[in-house]
Amino acid sequence: MAQKPDIRFAGFNDDWEQRKLEDVVGVYDGTHQTPNYQDHGVMFVSVEDIQTLTSEKYISEEDYEKNYSVVPEQGDILMTRIGDIGTASIVKSAEPLAYYVSLALLKNKGMNSEFLKANISAPAFQNELWLRTLHTAYPKKINKDEIGKCMISIAPSIEEQEAIGRYFESLDNLITLHQRKCDEMKEIKKSMLQKMFPKNREKEPEIRFKGFSDTWTKYKLGDLYTERNERGNNSLQILSVSIHSGVSDGELNEEELGKTVKRSEDKSTYKHVYTGDLIFNMMRAWQGAIGVAKCEGMISPAYISAVPNEKVYPLFMDYALRRSEAIAEINNLSYGIRDFRKRLYWNSFIHVNCMLPSVEEQKKIYKFLRCIDEYISVLQRKCIELKTLKKYLLQNMFCEHE
């Protein structure tokens, strides 16, 4: 069946063809045997290794020769088929590579490998896989023979395949670059959170800004905060506290909250909070549900809010109290028969230890860490934009199936 994609490179006008995948690639699956792992030998990959096709697992050369009559070669594609289905990677190395039954080997018969990989990711082919997947199996899977029956649309000229393949390869490389930068910045932030705060029983951090040399002072949070109990009103936005990102900087909509979260219609017991207040979820503080309000609003009665005194630069505490060391102490002071029943009550909160420098140094540290967070956010947004662009192009640069 002849078709044309909605978006094409200039100079290509011929119709595309729909073929069964088994007509254009050989389809094989990996060993069904439980691997006998070795310290060295032939690298062995499974579904969890699909992104890089590298692992720290090996089988002997003897097992490799015995169990694999058809082996991956450069330019072939490995695709997940059990648990995760339809994620593909190109075999780049010429070294021997063993693979488990959870992966399908697609041996290329002359098609451009990058084009084929992108084509597999396109919605049309993903839908073909979905229709032939055993969704009732656990984990879900698609049988090897069913993969070969999936229809795939193919550009007739190798030149067009190469142009499309190069484009998606460059796009993938750009996404990987930004994701790697993002991961690197997260590691830098993690390191700075360790080095810019004193270690246990120490009074100075390893890294400080020029001009600050005074030792840090140890306080109890009860020395720094007083509890706020002020009734909210319906004109205020409702703020949430997340174990991942602290206090929201605006009201979350229903989509962001998720369908499982229901807020009480009765706001009479909600509490008024102000910019700079420290807020924590009594039931989740031991997991990191604590942070500083960036705006005025109101919070659930399940939360506690506290007003900082003059010794505290409020936003600094967003980092100081969300460090792993601080969360560990909060966990130790939370009470409950089991983890899911743990609570951090005010009478325990006031006994949490906290080391503080001068307010001016607190401001410096906050501004530095905030800059890192803002750069991480820029990189994350860029990754999202690139992934959105890729999704759009996969939809429009490959033909939909009739």
Side-chain angles (χ1 to χ4, degrees):
M1 183 179 295
Q3 288 181 301
K4 292 182 180 180
D6 292 335
I7 297 176
R8 301 184 81 171
F9 287 104
F12 299 106
N13 298 297
D14 292 339
D15 290 335
W16 287 32
E17 297 180 354
Q18 278 194 25
R19 305 280 297 277
K20 287 184 178 179
L21 185 65
E22 63 189 8
D23 293 338
V24 293
V25 300
V27 184
Y28 307 89
D29 61 0
T31 180
H32 291 236
Q33 305 297 321
T34 302
N36 180 20
Y37 295 124
Q38 307 293 316
D39 292 334
H40 54 81
V42 177
M43 186 179 292
F44 184 92
V45 294
S46 188
V47 64
E48 64 268 18
D49 309 308
I50 191 64
Q51 296 297 337
T52 61
L53 293 186
T54 59
S55 79
E56 295 181 357
K57 297 176 181 177
Y58 300 89
I59 62 171
S60 68
E61 294 184 8
E62 290 180 353
D63 284 350
Y64 180 67
E65 296 289 338
K66 180 174 66 176
N67 294 325
Y68 293 89
S69 57
V70 180
V71 299
E73 299 174 288
Q74 275 184 313
D76 289 343
I77 285 179
L78 286 168
M79 185 190 81
T80 57
R81 71 175 196 90
I82 298 178
D84 176 74
I85 295 172
T87 303
S89 280
I90 299 171
V91 177
K92 302 284 190 179
S93 173
E95 295 295 320
L97 184 66
Y99 62 105
Y100 197 42
V101 66
S102 56
L103 298 176
L105 172 63
L106 309 181
K107 289 201 73 67
N108 210 333
K109 295 181 180 178
M111 199 183 316
N112 178 269
S113 297
E114 293 289 351
F115 171 81
L116 178 57
K117 176 190 171 186
N119 207 334
I120 289 170
S121 300
F125 190 79
Q126 288 290 308
N127 186 56
E128 289 281 322
L129 292 172
W130 188 89
L131 291 172
R132 296 179 182 278
T133 293
L134 296 172
H135 295 280
T136 56
Y138 184 79
K140 65 181 180 180
K141 65 179 180 179
I142 182 169
N143 291 326
K144 174 180 70 70
D145 293 340
E146 292 298 309
I147 295 173
K149 295 175 184 176
C150 291
M151 301 302 294
I152 189 167
S153 296
I154 301 172
S157 73
I158 191 67
E159 291 80 12
E160 185 172 12
Q161 292 180 24
E162 288 173 348
I164 294 171
R166 282 194 301 270
Y167 184 84
F168 279 98
E169 182 182 19
S170 297
L171 191 54
D172 283 339
N173 289 340
L174 196 56
I175 292 170
T176 299
L177 175 64
H178 281 83
Q179 188 60 58
R180 186 178 297 124
K181 284 183 178 179
C182 187
D183 293 341
E184 288 172 354
M185 288 308 300
K186 287 179 180 179
E187 286 300 312
I188 289 173
K189 177 185 173 182
K190 182 179 177 180
S191 176
M192 290 298 101
L193 284 170
Q194 292 174 341
K195 294 181 178 181
M196 297 184 77
F197 289 82
K199 294 182 173 61
N200 287 339
R201 299 184 181 86
E202 294 185 5
K203 295 184 177 182
E204 292 185 33
E206 183 178 338
I207 294 177
R208 301 189 79 170
F209 287 102
K210 185 177 180 180
F212 297 102
S213 57
D214 292 343
T215 58
W216 289 35
T217 304
K218 184 176 182 179
Y219 295 97
K220 300 286 186 183
L221 291 184
D223 301 326
L224 305 172
Y225 288 93
T226 54
E227 187 174 8
R228 186 191 293 279
N229 277 304
E230 184 178 329
R231 188 69 56 85
N233 62 73
N234 286 331
S235 68
L236 297 169
Q237 60 187 339
I238 301 173
L239 306 181
S240 295
V241 186
S242 164
I243 62 175
H244 303 293
S245 54
V247 180
S248 60
D249 56 4
E251 183 159 13
L252 304 181
N253 60 38
E254 293 299 320
E255 182 179 345
E256 291 171 315
L257 283 169
K259 295 179 181 178
T260 60
V261 178
K262 300 293 182 185
R263 281 190 167 150
S264 170
E265 295 298 323
D266 179 15
K267 307 296 192 301
S268 62
T269 58
Y270 276 56
K271 303 174 183 179
H272 194 163
V273 296
Y274 295 83
T275 302
D277 282 1
L278 184 70
I279 304 170
F280 63 91
N281 182 337
M282 289 189 293
M283 297 178 286
R284 305 291 296 277
W286 63 276
Q287 293 177 300
I290 187 170
V292 176
K294 307 336 185 267
C295 59
E296 187 179 0
M298 62 178 175
I299 56 172
S300 162
Y303 298 169
I304 289 178
S305 63
V307 186
N309 64 24
E310 73 284 352
K311 297 183 178 70
V312 176
Y313 180 63
L315 292 171
F316 170 80
M317 302 303 280
D318 222 15
Y319 292 105
L321 294 180
R322 290 179 54 78
R323 297 164 59 242
S324 57
E325 295 84 353
I327 299 303
E329 184 168 358
I330 288 171
N331 181 39
N332 290 335
L333 289 169
S334 298
Y335 295 97
I337 298 172
R338 290 181 172 84
D339 281 351
F340 69 88
R341 291 187 178 275
K342 278 186 174 181
R343 303 286 189 275
L344 179 68
Y345 297 102
W346 178 259
N347 289 339
S348 297
F349 167 83
I350 61 176
H351 294 294
V352 174
N353 291 304
C354 181
M355 296 288 290
L356 286 186
S358 67
V359 170
E360 286 304 311
E361 189 170 2
Q362 291 178 48
K363 289 180 181 179
K364 282 271 192 180
I365 294 170
Y366 164 75
K367 289 177 181 178
F368 175 77
L369 293 173
R370 182 60 187 164
C371 284
I372 293 178
D373 275 342
E374 288 174 352
Y375 186 45
I376 290 172
S377 294
V378 169
L379 294 171
Q380 288 174 329
R381 285 196 297 272
K382 188 63 177 179
C383 282
I384 291 171
E385 290 170 2
L386 290 170
K387 288 176 181 178
T388 301
L389 173 63
K390 180 181 176 181
K391 182 179 179 180
Y392 173 79
L393 293 175
L394 286 171
Q395 179 79 47
N396 290 278
M397 292 182 73
F398 294 91
C399 297
E400 293 186 7
H401 297 174
E402 297 293 337

